[in-house]
Each structure stands twice: as structure tokens, then as C-alpha cells.
Amino acid sequence: MNALVALTIANIKSYVRDRAALFWTLAFPLIFIFMFGFIFQGGGGGGLTLGWVDHDASPESAELHRAFTALRSNELVELPEAEARAQMQDGEVDAVIVVPDGYGEAITAGTAGSATAPASITVITDPSRSDLAGSVYQAVGAVLGIVNLGGRPPLVVPDPQTIQTENLNFISYFVPSMLGLSVMQVGIFAAIPLVADREKLILKRLAATPLRRWQLVGSNVLMRLLIAMVQAVIIVAVGVVFFGVEVTGSIAAVAAFVILGAMAFLALGYVVASFAATEDAANGMTSVIQFPMMFLSGTFFPIDSMPDVLQGVARVIPLTYLSDALRQVMVSGAAFAPLWVCAAVLLGWLVVCFAIAAVKFRWQ
Amino acid sequence: MTVAIGGSPVIRVRGLTKRYGDVQAVAGVDFDVAGGEIFGLLGPNGAGKTTTVEILEGLRPADGGEVSVLGVDVTRDADALKPRIGISLQTAALYPKLTVTEVIDLFRSFYATSRPTAELIADLDLGERKNAQTKVLSGGQRQRLAVALALVNDPELVFLDEPTTGLDPAARRSLWDLVLGLKAAGRTVLLTTHYMEEAEVLCDRLAIMDHGKILEMGTVDELVMKRFHERAVRFDRLPELTTAELEALPAVASVKADGGEMLLYTSDVGPTIGALLALTERRGLEPQNLAIRRATLEDVFLDLTGRALRD
């Protein structure tokens, strides 16, 4: 059998038989997702907050306002249109309803049977927050159902519009972030078994065989990429199945960033393995890298809520860009940086770290 | 598989040097190993044995000197050598979570040609443990597996670095049988050890190393005889015989009474024993537990370095 394949399989067997490693890569991110998912899902039970833009200011529009307010415990915030859109971007309101000029006249005409077309109201939602958009259309449907009771054809129809908002619901933001975090762990944790193998002289023993170094590195990379992909599938599946996360982007783009990210963090792991003499040292260095990365990359706290100094750090660390890119391609999250910048930063880390490791790594 | 005996040596080392910082690990070493022999490097820890062996294996660059192994200049082309040698490192390093069979199969994948796994497992007597993860193996089983891995590619030359360190006497003897089996199969073996007994049992020739230098080289007999021409005739002490009487016996160089035992150091065993028996016969005595003992490698090492070779 080909040495590269055989060594990759041997690595995977060793990995799967190591319960602790399995726990940290597979169970740990899931525990996080379920924990945060359930905590933050609980808060969303109340009514909707809707931006209300009334260009008509007629008795009919006032009637409609009453109908929306009466439904459940919806809160209507009356705003000028530009302000309403801005507030929706910021997540202040869940959706915006615009009553156009001439609404009242159209209703009057419709009731009289002389209308050429039904009156319409504009309903602006964010499709990436599918659960919220669904609730909005449910409410709109309920209200218009009452209004339209008398007339056939309908008096009022909704005119759907969509905009991208900054604020994803928490779990949609969190799932890609957790994916980024897991990919980081798969990558930098590669240092530890590698250093252990060196310490136990396994690398030295391998060096005495005709096995090539590229085969050794290649098998390590292959195995880690495989783990990253398995992890990605599990995390995305849990997000979709249990928390209704909607993957709006392409799966291929998600996979591409998982691979690019895993490679960049693998290279960082090899840098750790180059400087850590012992397994304990590698553990320590990995933690030192992992924890700031975890907390400063926008995984748990949005970057723009951090002090300037920490924002500066966030702008440099690769996890920021990996998670940002994953949020963009998975759930159409707002961009911290354009996708090509994310890719370029990750590629930059990959090249620099790989170069350092190539020079500094010791096999024995 | 077997390299012609009597042709060019399988290993040829000249003027080998290696320095780590301030420590001169190997300070000018020369030796040859012929095909089909078991050659030993004997010395205490830190003598430079492992460094020497690792340079021969192509695992470390030398600072100076010539090293030719199986006709390959190791300093230039270690990769050409790797498919043809088998090695067992001082610490038997194995994948702890893989089974014996899996580790052997893995190492087989590294070589273009290899021996069947089942055959190796049978030869190394690992059948009962073939599905056990290597982390649960005993020290002796682990060393046997390390030797199995050294034999995966059916090598012409096998390097065994301290193969029995840390093993109990039974496991040590079982490994000795294995090494002698390699020789019987025509392979050349280079081993390092700091056990005198191991060197005496296994090695056709050996080099005594200390502080990065070879102090003495030859067969065990040559090494001992070169320094200790006398053999010792020993018997349980007979108070009736005086030291002067014993010293007067032919060929006796010195007489030593050590506790309950008498030692006659003699340059010629036959006449000494003959005269001793005649003397005791005349006096109506009988020497109990009469034996002839030669000096050992331990005596040689003590003589060479002024200290005992113990771990």
C-alpha cells in the first residue's frame, strides 16, 4: 500500500482511539452550540418590533396600524422610511412595513369595486433571519386576512422586499463562529501529537525508513483536513437541524474556507511544533495561542464592541477572518472584511507559518 | 541478502568525529565490520556509541571522517542506504494506539519489498499479542516488535541500539537468541550495549568505547588475553597449604587468598594444575571446587578506564 495512504490511515486510527482528542474536536463545539443555542433561543418568545412607515396618513392606514398592534403583542415604532431601514440594519426593529401614499384611496376604490389593482403595503424582511421573516409574514398574513375579508379579489397585498441586516440572530452568528473555532483547534492541535511523536522518537524511527518527509507531512495534513471536514458537516448539520440555521451561501464556498482555514492553522500548529521541545510545552503554547484567538475573533463578542487595542489584535489574528468568511458564506452575515481579504489573510498566515516551520522544524 | 564475507567490509569507518557544542561525542573512530558478523560497541552511557550508530544509519551528519555502509557513502547518500538496513532505536518508539499487526503493516508500506506480516509475527514470537495495542506490551514484547520492524524489509545489515536495556533476564536471553538467529541467517549485525555479558555472548568482535574513542578492539578472547595473560586456578582454601608453597608451583605468577577461595594466577594452566594435584596428593588433601577462570571483559574495562562498567 502507498506509504502516504497507510500513514494517513494509521494517524486516523490513532486519533479515533484517543478518546480525549475525539471529545475536544467533536463533542466540545457541539456542547457549546447547544448550550448557547438554548440560552439565546429562550428570549425570542414575545411579539415583533416593527418599523412603521406611513406615507399615506389616512384613516385606512390608521386602521391597519390598529390591526397590527392588536395582533399578539407586536410593537410598532413609527419612523421615517430611511430611519426605519437604518434601525432594521442595526437590529433595532425586526422588519419594516411601509404604507405607501395613496393606500387609503386604493382601499376606498377597492371597497367600491372600482379598483384596477389592489392596494399594496411593502414588507421589508431579512431572509437570512428566516425564523423572524416567517413570524413577520405570519403577522402580515393574519392582519391582511382580516382586512381582506370583505373583498374578493383582495383589497391589500403585501409587496415583499428584503434587505441584509447587520444582526444575525444569535445562533446563526454563533454556528459559523463555532465552526471557525473548531477548524482552528483541529489545525493548531496538530502540534501536540507531532511533538509527542518526536519526543517518543517515532519521527526519528520514521526518518530511518525510506519514507519521505513530504509523505509524513502530507499524511498529517490529509488526516487533519479530513477531521476538519467531518467536524464541519456535524456542526452545520446540528445548526440546521436543531436551530434552524439557514445556509444561504454555497456549500462549496464553506468547504473551501474550512480547508483554507484548516491549512492556515495547521501551519501555525507546525510553528508551535517547531518551537516546543516537549509535549507539555506544545500544550502550553497551543493554549496561549488558542484562548486570545477564541475571545478576540468575534466568536463570543462582536469585534466592534471591543476596546480599540483589542480591535487591533482582532484585525490581525486569522480566526477573525476565518469566522467572518464562514459567516458570510454560510448565513450571509455582515462582512467584517470582504471575502477576498479573508482569503488573502488566511493564505498569508499559511505561507508565512509554513515557511517558518519549514526552516525551524526539527525531526529529532 | 548476504554480503560476501572476506570482500570489502560491510561497514568501514575512518576518522569519524562529531561534536555537540562543547562535547566531543565522537573523537576520531575507526573500525570495520565484515559481512555476516555480529559487531558490538561496548561502553558506558555517553561513550558515543549511539551517536556513532546514528551517523552510520544516516540519521545524523558527521562532522568529519569517512563512513561507508554497504558500499554507500552515508555522508552523501543516506537515502540510498535506508531501504537496505534495519534499525532498532535505543528507546523502542512505537505508535501506542496501533496494534502489533497494524504497526508492522505500516512499516511494510514504507518499503518497496517487505516480508509478510504473519511471518514476522511468527519469527518474533508475537502471535499472542498481534492484536494488542503496543502501549500494553511488556518491555520484552516491545523490543521484539522493534526488532520485527527492523526486519520488515529483509535488510542486509541490522543496527540494534541497546536492544536489551531495561529487560529482565528471561526477556534478555530470548532477545539474544533472536540476534544469534539473525547471524545464522547470514545477516550482519551492529549492536551497542553496556552489558558485558551481552557482548560476550553475542559479539564476534567488539570495540570498547569511552569518551568518544575506541580504546580496544577485537574478539572477546583477544581483548581479555591482551591484558590478562594469566588465567586463574581457583579452589576452596586449604589451610594446610602455605602461600609460599603455592607460589613455588610452576608458571604461577601470583597467589591470592580471597575469603574462602584461593586463586593461583598462572601463565600456563596445565603444569600448574598438574603440580597442584601432585602436591595435594602427597599431603593427603583434596582441592574442592577446582576450576579455571579467565579474566572477563569487566576486568578489561576496569583496566582500560579505571572504573567499572555498570549501569
Side-chain angles (χ1 to χ4, degrees):
Chain A
M1 195 181 0
N2 180 288
L4 177 66
V5 176
L7 196 56
T8 306
I9 292 172
N11 282 336
I12 291 170
K13 279 180 181 164
S14 291
Y15 186 82
V16 171
R17 288 171 192 172
D18 183 351
R19 297 289 151 78
L22 263 193
F23 174 82
W24 283 98
T25 42
L26 297 180
F28 187 67
L30 290 185
I31 289 171
F32 255 102
I33 289 176
F34 276 106
M35 205 168 73
F36 281 87
F38 286 126
I39 289 171
F40 286 91
Q41 230 179 16
L48 299 164
T49 305
L50 301 174
W52 184 260
V53 182
D54 190 349
H55 291 306
D56 198 45
S58 59
E60 287 78 7
S61 67
E63 182 73 22
L64 196 65
H65 185 286
R66 261 196 303 283
F68 269 106
T69 319
L71 195 71
R72 287 199 289 178
S73 49
N74 292 333
E75 188 191 336
L76 265 58
V77 185
E78 291 185 47
L79 295 164
E81 182 160 355
E83 176 68 12
R85 283 175 180 271
Q87 286 207 8
M88 186 175 159
Q89 287 280 2
D90 292 344
E92 303 281 320
V93 298
D94 297 324
V96 174
I97 290 172
V98 182
V99 181
D101 193 17
Y103 170 81
E105 289 166 25
I107 294 286
T108 313
T111 316
S114 62
T116 50
S120 76
I121 56 170
T122 308
V123 180
I124 307 172
T125 57
D126 178 359
S128 64
R129 306 178 68 184
S130 58
D131 51 337
L132 203 55
S135 304
V136 171
Y137 274 100
Q138 217 175 9
V140 170
V143 168
L144 296 190
I146 297 165
V147 176
N148 286 339
L149 261 184
R152 200 174 296 270
L155 290 173
V156 188
V157 293
D159 168 22
Q161 278 188 20
T162 60
I163 54 173
Q164 290 293 335
T165 62
E166 302 277 341
N167 279 42
L168 294 171
N169 73 24
F170 182 79
I171 199 74
S172 293
Y173 180 91
F174 194 63
V175 166
S177 305
M178 276 321 284
L179 178 56
L181 199 64
S182 323
V183 167
M184 172 186 79
Q185 284 179 330
V186 170
I188 59 175
F189 271 92
I192 292 163
L194 205 58
V195 172
D197 280 1
R198 182 174 55 201
E199 224 180 338
K200 284 183 274 181
L201 301 182
I202 290 176
L203 296 189
K204 190 179 186 179
R205 181 65 187 84
L206 294 179
T209 72
L211 182 76
R212 304 281 164 179
R213 282 179 181 177
W214 70 262
Q215 291 175 311
L216 183 63
V217 176
S219 74
N220 200 282
V221 171
L222 273 180
M223 168 224 182
R224 292 278 153 180
L225 287 184
L226 203 75
I227 297 170
M229 295 308 281
V230 169
Q231 224 180 26
V233 168
I234 293 174
I235 289 173
V236 173
V238 165
V240 169
V241 172
F242 290 95
F243 297 105
V245 173
E246 206 162 326
V247 178
T248 53
S250 84
I251 295 291
V254 175
F257 271 102
V258 166
I259 291 171
L260 179 60
M263 298 279 283
F265 283 109
L266 264 174
L268 187 57
Y270 294 152
V271 171
V272 171
S274 303
F275 289 95
T278 63
E279 192 177 347
D280 287 340
N283 261 313
M285 285 171 70
T286 303
S287 298
V288 164
I289 292 172
Q290 165 172 243
F291 283 105
M293 203 96 92
M294 202 158 149
F295 291 112
L296 298 181
S297 63
T299 304
F300 296 101
F301 318 109
I303 292 167
D304 50 22
S305 72
M306 298 192 295
D308 286 349
V309 180
L310 295 185
Q311 282 197 35
V313 178
R315 248 172 260 284
V316 179
I317 56 180
L319 184 57
T320 305
Y321 295 90
L322 175 60
S323 293
D324 185 45
L326 288 173
R327 280 191 292 268
Q328 290 183 54
V329 296
M330 265 179 77
V331 294
S332 310
F336 171 75
L339 276 181
W340 72 266
V341 172
C342 295
V345 170
L346 291 172
L347 200 65
W349 273 89
L350 168 60
V351 169
V352 170
C353 288
F354 198 83
I356 293 172
V359 174
K360 289 280 174 192
F361 189 79
R362 294 285 167 264
W363 297 82
Q364 36 180 290
Chain B
M1 184 180 72
T2 312
V3 170
I5 298 174
S8 54
V10 166
I11 297 175
R12 185 175 184 278
V13 180
R14 291 291 179 273
L16 180 64
T17 57
K18 178 72 184 181
R19 167 180 284 276
Y20 301 119
D22 289 340
V23 182
Q24 189 73 46
V26 180
V29 159
D30 311 88
F31 64 90
D32 289 338
V33 178
E37 77 172 337
I38 300 180
F39 185 86
L41 291 175
L42 174 71
N45 292 327
K49 304 178 308 247
T50 297
T51 301
T52 302
V53 168
E54 287 183 356
I55 291 169
L56 300 188
E57 291 163 346
L59 290 176
R60 281 180 199 284
D63 289 345
E66 295 167 35
V67 182
S68 158
V69 178
L70 296 169
V72 174
D73 180 352
V74 181
T75 52
R76 293 230 178 83
D77 197 11
D79 281 350
L81 183 65
K82 287 175 182 174
R84 299 169 62 194
I85 59 170
I87 79 159
S88 161
L89 294 173
Q90 191 165 349
T91 320
L94 305 160
Y95 287 87
K97 292 192 184 297
L98 296 188
T99 68
V100 168
T101 306
E102 285 169 343
V103 174
I104 293 176
D105 281 338
L106 175 64
F107 273 72
R108 289 179 67 222
S109 78
F110 301 156
Y111 297 92
T113 56
S114 58
R115 296 176 61 194
T117 304
E119 194 181 301
L120 286 163
I121 285 176
D123 280 6
L124 280 292
D125 195 23
L126 287 164
E128 282 176 23
R129 306 298 273 160
K130 66 179 179 184
N131 294 321
Q133 293 187 8
T134 65
K135 65 179 176 192
V136 301
L137 296 182
S138 71
Q141 290 164 342
R142 204 164 290 186
Q143 280 294 356
R144 289 211 299 277
L145 176 53
V147 175
L149 297 180
L151 300 179
V152 150
N153 55 329
D154 204 7
E156 301 160 51
L157 169 63
V158 183
F159 293 94
L160 304 174
D161 196 358
E162 304 264 355
T164 64
T165 300
L167 298 193
D168 60 56
R172 184 168 297 165
R173 278 181 192 282
S174 125
L175 209 95
W176 288 350
D177 288 342
L178 221 139
V179 176
L180 291 170
L182 295 179
K183 185 192 169 187
R187 292 188 177 82
T188 310
V189 178
L190 174 62
L191 66 85
T192 72
T193 183
H194 60 270
Y195 296 117
M196 294 292 166
E197 196 191 353
E198 183 161 289
E200 288 184 3
V201 170
L202 293 181
C203 297
D204 296 313
R205 290 192 310 126
L206 56 99
I208 296 178
M209 276 191 90
D210 197 27
H211 299 304
K213 287 186 171 134
I214 290 180
L215 303 177
E216 206 83 67
M217 187 158 51
T219 65
V220 173
D221 280 341
E222 282 167 4
L223 288 172
V224 173
M225 294 308 285
K226 189 169 174 184
R227 285 178 184 273
F228 297 93
H229 295 293
E230 303 89 5
R231 298 203 171 201
V233 175
R234 60 93 46 214
F235 54 93
D236 293 352
R237 194 170 185 177
L238 292 167
E240 294 85 349
L241 297 178
T242 64
T243 302
E245 270 178 305
L246 293 170
E247 277 173 346
L249 295 174
V252 169
S254 61
V255 174
K256 195 177 164 202
D258 184 17
E261 111 180 324
M262 284 308 285
L263 287 164
L264 309 183
Y265 288 98
T266 167
S267 56
D268 199 348
V269 173
T272 303
I273 290 198
L276 173 66
L277 291 176
L279 175 65
T280 50
E281 179 87 48
R282 279 201 305 276
R283 305 277 292 270
L285 304 167
E286 194 182 346
Q288 298 289 318
N289 297 320
L290 181 64
I292 305 155
R293 181 171 84 64
R294 65 167 194 197
T296 63
L297 280 175
E298 189 68 58
D299 301 313
V300 174
F301 193 82
L302 190 69
D303 195 41
L304 280 169
T305 66
R307 58 202 161 92
L309 178 62
R310 307 256 187 230
D311 44 334

